[in-house]
Amino acid sequence: MHLKKAAIALALALGLGLPAAHASVIGTMTRAQPVTEARIAALAEADRAAWRGYLERSRALMARDKAALATERAAGAAPPEAQARLHGDSGMPLDKPPAWYASPEARHVADNIVSFQTPAGGWGKNVDRTGHVRQKGEHYAPIDDDPSGGVIVAAAGWNYVGTIDNDATTTELRFLARVQAALPGAPGEAYRKAFDKGVGYLLDAQYPNGGFPQVYPLQGGYHDAITYNDNAFAQVADLLALVAGRQGDYAFVAPALASRAQVAHGRAIGVLLASQIRVNGQLTGWCQQHDALTLAPVGARNFEPVALSSSETSRLLTLLMRLPQPTAQVTAAIDGAAAWLKRVAVYNVGWTAKGENGRFLEARPGAGPLWARMYDIDTMQPVFGDRDGTIHTDVNELTKERRDGYGWYGSGPASALAAYDKWRAGQGGKQGR
């Protein structure tokens, strides 16, 4: 179906009337603000010292990372940038039989991970860990200085050098935990040491209020926001809970580090609860990113405007439901997020596969439920961002590149809501005892 006809059919199916003759642009992206001394100065006096100390430590760590690389390169010519970009599998499977993690193949991956760990303790993203072991003078992470999409370039040749974006750092740590468990004693010591350093990196990266930036040391722009996007925050929180529990692959963790992880996990849950969006007094969901200092919802890349996010809310809902002893506040947050997801489900439409005209939304009687990725906070209607920073109410009006290149609709929240129904039934049983 032609896109214009599809839009008309969709509007009729939803009872929204005919779309406007021209693009329904309702605004443009507003850039998220970085963490700066000036913004910290506007905080309550009791909060300023902790945030100033955090910012100073972040800058010192970045300076040390850069100095370490410069020292290596001063000793001779830097090797070519040969680290592979990720195209599919990262090379760090977490579902192999335990014995596999003692194999030469697994140890090579672990050696690659250890070699590319930054001095600060984190890892870059989008790397095939089956590749070569890092050579002295080689950069710690693949560098992308292309600002398309709104990426903030902190300094030429220094971006995402330590990040939780795209499953980075948390996956490396989980893989190291699996390998060291298969290699007790001296053979696994290097992996345990790198793991401890990596957990220390996450603890250092945690904001005074319990949030986590996308990139640490801080890179600026939206990268400084508390990042729920693509489940980055949830993956860190889950890992901290495993470290604190000291079971299975994590039994080797020292009690002192486990205790620190437990405290950090509690603080993470605290900021998660504090940042949940209320609309007309009702708890709803979360946005992809929230301002580090104010917790206000903020945009990210040019096509990711301020909006409630069904995908991120679903994952955070799952995180909260895993807590063994939910408080009344946690229970209220869970109930509010689940109710919101149920309320914004979309029916009688389908999100097509890629074709000659690209993906588009079409009327499909009887279909659903489906969820838009983003919803306007005030109207609760789906919204969509394009590469040029414009915000639309009709996904079919986006450029083909953005319609095809982003998950604007999906059915993922259905599984979270099914889990919620079971969780709620279990909570009712507990209350009845």
Side-chain angles (χ1 to χ4, degrees), residues 24-202:
S24 51
V25 177
I26 61 172
T28 57
M29 275 288 299
T30 300
R31 293 285 189 187
Q33 297 299 304
V35 175
T36 63
E37 290 95 337
R39 298 192 67 215
I40 291 173
L43 297 175
E45 185 175 357
D47 298 326
R48 294 173 197 163
W51 280 97
R52 284 172 178 152
Y54 179 96
L55 187 56
E56 290 172 1
R57 289 192 300 273
S58 171
R59 289 172 173 169
L61 281 175
M62 181 178 285
R64 283 169 48 192
D65 283 358
K66 289 182 176 181
L69 184 60
T71 297
E72 288 184 354
R73 290 182 170 180
E81 300 295 341
Q83 193 173 2
R85 281 286 185 165
L86 175 61
H87 296 287
D89 192 350
S90 69
M92 296 180 286
L94 300 175
D95 57 355
K96 295 284 189 179
W100 180 84
Y101 293 92
S103 69
E105 181 182 358
R107 293 193 65 172
H108 174 77
V109 172
D111 288 340
N112 173 288
I113 291 171
V114 172
S115 71
F116 279 103
Q117 187 174 29
T118 70
W123 285 271
K125 67 174 183 174
N126 299 344
V127 177
D128 180 0
R129 294 295 176 196
T130 65
H132 69 281
V133 172
R134 177 180 177 267
Q135 305 171 62
K136 282 189 177 298
E138 187 175 356
H139 212 305
Y140 305 115
I143 301 303
D144 182 3
D145 288 337
D146 179 5
S148 64
V151 173
I152 304 301
V153 178
W158 201 269
N159 292 292
Y160 292 104
V161 184
T163 182
I164 58 173
D165 191 32
N166 289 9
D167 307 331
T169 297
T170 51
T171 305
E172 279 82 356
L173 288 171
R174 285 174 178 267
F175 191 88
L176 288 176
R178 300 235 69 190
V179 172
Q180 71 77 33
L183 297 169
E189 190 58 33
Y191 310 130
R192 286 185 282 275
K193 183 177 179 180
F195 179 92
D196 289 348
K197 183 178 179 179
V199 173
Y201 164 84
L202 292 176

Side-chain angles (χ1 to χ4, degrees), residues 228-426:
Y228 300 138
N229 196 14
D230 292 335
N231 306 323
F233 176 99
Q235 289 170 341
V236 173
D238 282 344
L239 181 62
L240 290 174
L242 291 171
V243 173
R246 301 183 67 219
Q247 299 293 318
D249 294 343
Y250 306 89
F252 74 97
V253 174
L257 184 59
S259 179
R260 292 178 63 198
Q262 183 65 55
V263 171
H265 182 268
R267 293 172 59 222
I269 298 301
V271 78
L272 178 59
L273 297 175
S275 59
Q276 189 173 12
I277 300 295
R278 284 185 180 270
V279 178
N280 297 325
Q282 292 186 328
L283 288 168
T284 60
W286 290 268
C287 300
Q288 290 182 323
Q289 299 196 231
H290 289 246
D291 186 86
L293 298 172
T294 68
L295 304 187
V298 294
R301 291 172 291 185
N302 281 1
F303 46 87
E304 293 171 322
V306 173
L308 286 162
S309 172
S310 64
S311 177
E312 279 67 27
T313 294
S314 298
R315 181 62 175 85
L316 295 172
L317 173 63
T318 302
L319 171 64
L320 290 176
M321 289 191 294
R322 289 175 180 168
L323 297 178
Q325 296 178 318
T327 63
Q329 186 181 9
V330 169
T331 299
I334 292 171
D335 287 340
W340 177 74
L341 285 171
K342 291 178 180 180
R343 178 154 60 100
V344 297
V346 179
Y347 294 84
N348 300 315
V349 295
W351 183 231
T352 69
K354 294 179 183 178
E356 181 180 350
N357 292 321
R359 305 193 73 173
F360 60 90
L361 196 68
E362 65 178 359
R364 194 175 296 172
L370 203 63
W371 283 264
R373 179 69 177 267
M374 301 176 192
Y375 293 83
D376 180 80
I377 296 174
D378 294 326
T379 67
M380 294 298 167
Q381 296 302 307
V383 289
F384 314 92
D386 216 332
R387 184 72 75 175
D388 62 358
T390 54
I391 304 169
H392 300 247
T393 58
D394 183 354
V395 69
N396 291 341
E397 293 176 349
L398 299 182
T399 57
K400 180 176 181 295
E401 184 271 335
R402 274 302 80 196
R403 277 186 284 113
D404 289 354
Y406 201 72
W408 294 114
Y409 280 90
S411 59
S415 60
L417 288 175
Y420 167 76
D421 289 340
K422 293 181 180 179
W423 179 88
R424 174 39 72 193

